[in-house]
């Protein structure tokens, strides 16, 4: 069992095209989330609230997102997006972006392919389940860290249950749509979204696997 758990960390990656005709069974979703609820938190406060969209509701969300995108509606996420990164961190993002577009065969000047890629993001990669992870507005960064731990547990749990995932900024672009469709109350902040489904193996969007910095560069052992 320990070997299986260890391999989950190496086998999991983000997928960006799912089989839209293969929904995730309800019991599988519940098992995934039951596992994730074991995530640790400050003083066991468990500060997350999760809203899961599937079926017709998820289809309505996707349709509303596409309409907003086509109407050039500006994203208005509950959490402000970073405006800049330190140069060495931005470099990691740049290298990942170049690697991804290379695996897709998308040229920098190919406006049609780049537009199709944007729409794939807005349509949430044809995923069949969407988890929106929320937090009470009055809570601090400590609880936000707990939400990140929960999200990591959830994606590893999905992998364990044979379901693929991708954490997606584009899934929370339009909070007003999510609040309306999922009845999310105003006292909750929409912190992050994760798209789930069964990946289309061999699809170009699923070829890419992001790299990681070496251990010695990221971890400092002090004796």
């Amino acid at each position: 069992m320990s070997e299986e758990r260890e391999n989950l960390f190496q086998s999991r990656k983000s997928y960006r095209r799912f089989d839209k005709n293969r929904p995730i069974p309800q019991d599988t979703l519940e098992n995934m989330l039951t596992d994730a609820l074991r995530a640790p938190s400050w003083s066991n406060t468990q500060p997350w609230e999760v809203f899961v969209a599937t079926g017709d509701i998820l289809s309505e969300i996707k349709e509303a997102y596409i309409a907003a995108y086509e109407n050039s509606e500006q994203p208005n996420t509950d959490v402000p997006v970073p405006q800049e990164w330190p140069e060495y961190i931005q470099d990691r993002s740049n290298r990942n972006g170049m690697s991804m577009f290379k695996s897709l065969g998308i040229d920098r000047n190919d406006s049609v392919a780049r537009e199709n890629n944007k729409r794939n993001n807005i349509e949430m990669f044809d995923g069949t389940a969407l988890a929106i992870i929320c937090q009470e507005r009055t809570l601090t960064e400590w609880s936000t860290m707990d939400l990140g731990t929960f999200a990591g547990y959830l994606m590893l749990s999905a992998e364990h249950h044979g379901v693929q995932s991708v954490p997606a900024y584009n899934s929370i672009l339009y909070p007003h749509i999510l609040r309306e469709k999922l009845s999310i109350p105003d006292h909750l902040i929409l912190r992050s979204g994760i798209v789930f489904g069964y990946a289309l193996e061999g699809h170009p969007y699923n070829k890419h696997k992001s790299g990681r910095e070496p251990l010695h560069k990221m971890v400092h052992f002090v004796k």
Side-chain angles (χ1 to χ4, degrees):
M1 187 66 174
S2 61
E3 182 179 355
E4 178 187 356
R5 285 200 300 268
E6 180 181 357
N7 287 340
L8 285 178
F9 294 91
Q10 300 301 327
S11 63
R12 196 229 150 251
K13 71 171 191 174
S14 292
Y15 289 84
R16 291 176 174 82
R17 182 57 68 87
F18 300 98
D19 186 346
K20 62 183 178 182
N21 297 314
R22 190 183 173 194
I24 304 168
Q26 180 68 22
D27 62 341
T28 299
L29 286 170
E30 292 181 6
N31 289 335
M32 287 163 43
L33 285 149
T34 297
D35 289 348
L37 289 173
R38 292 299 306 167
S41 60
W42 178 297
S43 191
N44 200 33
T45 46
Q46 306 167 70
W48 42 77
E49 289 196 42
V50 186
F51 295 78
V52 181
T54 61
D56 292 342
I57 287 295
L58 181 54
S59 295
E60 290 178 15
I61 291 172
K62 291 178 181 179
E63 290 171 4
Y65 266 44
I66 286 294
Y69 175 70
E70 291 180 343
N71 289 329
S72 300
E73 182 175 333
Q74 291 301 306
N76 186 29
T77 55
D78 282 358
V79 181
V81 298
Q83 297 302 307
E84 61 181 354
W85 301 90
E87 184 176 351
Y88 72 99
I89 293 179
Q90 182 65 58
D91 178 63
R92 296 172 191 160
S93 177
N94 292 344
R95 284 187 278 120
N96 182 68
M98 288 187 290
S99 174
M100 182 184 302
F101 278 102
K102 183 178 180 180
S103 71
L104 290 171
I106 298 178
D107 185 79
R108 179 183 295 272
N109 299 317
D110 191 338
S111 58
V112 174
R114 286 181 172 268
E115 173 62 21
N116 289 338
N117 184 60
K118 286 182 181 179
R119 291 183 71 90
N120 183 52
N121 279 265
I122 298 296
E123 293 172 343
M124 301 182 201
F125 319 103
D126 284 343
T128 57
L130 169 66
I132 300 298
I133 303 173
C134 301
Q135 170 188 323
E136 167 68 48
R137 287 185 184 275
T138 59
L139 296 177
T140 69
E141 288 85 352
W142 293 100
S143 295
T144 303
M145 183 175 69
D146 292 339
L147 264 67
T149 303
F150 172 83
Y153 266 54
L154 181 53
M155 287 184 282
L156 287 172
S157 173
E159 188 75 14
H160 173 70
H161 289 284
V163 175
Q164 288 73 56
S165 63
V166 56
Y169 159 72
N170 286 288
S171 68
I172 55 170
L173 285 181
Y174 305 112
H176 65 283
I177 294 174
L178 296 172
R179 290 186 188 281
E180 176 190 348
K181 300 295 184 182
L182 301 177
S183 299
I184 301 176
D186 288 337
H187 70 87
L188 296 178
I189 292 175
L190 282 64
R191 277 285 179 190
S192 61
I194 305 174
V195 179
F196 298 94
Y198 294 106
L200 286 175
E201 296 295 339
H203 194 284
Y205 280 120
N206 293 332
K207 289 181 179 179
H208 176 72
K209 184 173 184 178
S210 57
R212 293 295 183 271
E213 298 297 300
L215 176 71
H216 66 82
K217 188 173 182 179
M218 306 298 288
V219 181
H220 307 279
F221 293 101
V222 182
K223 296 184 180 180

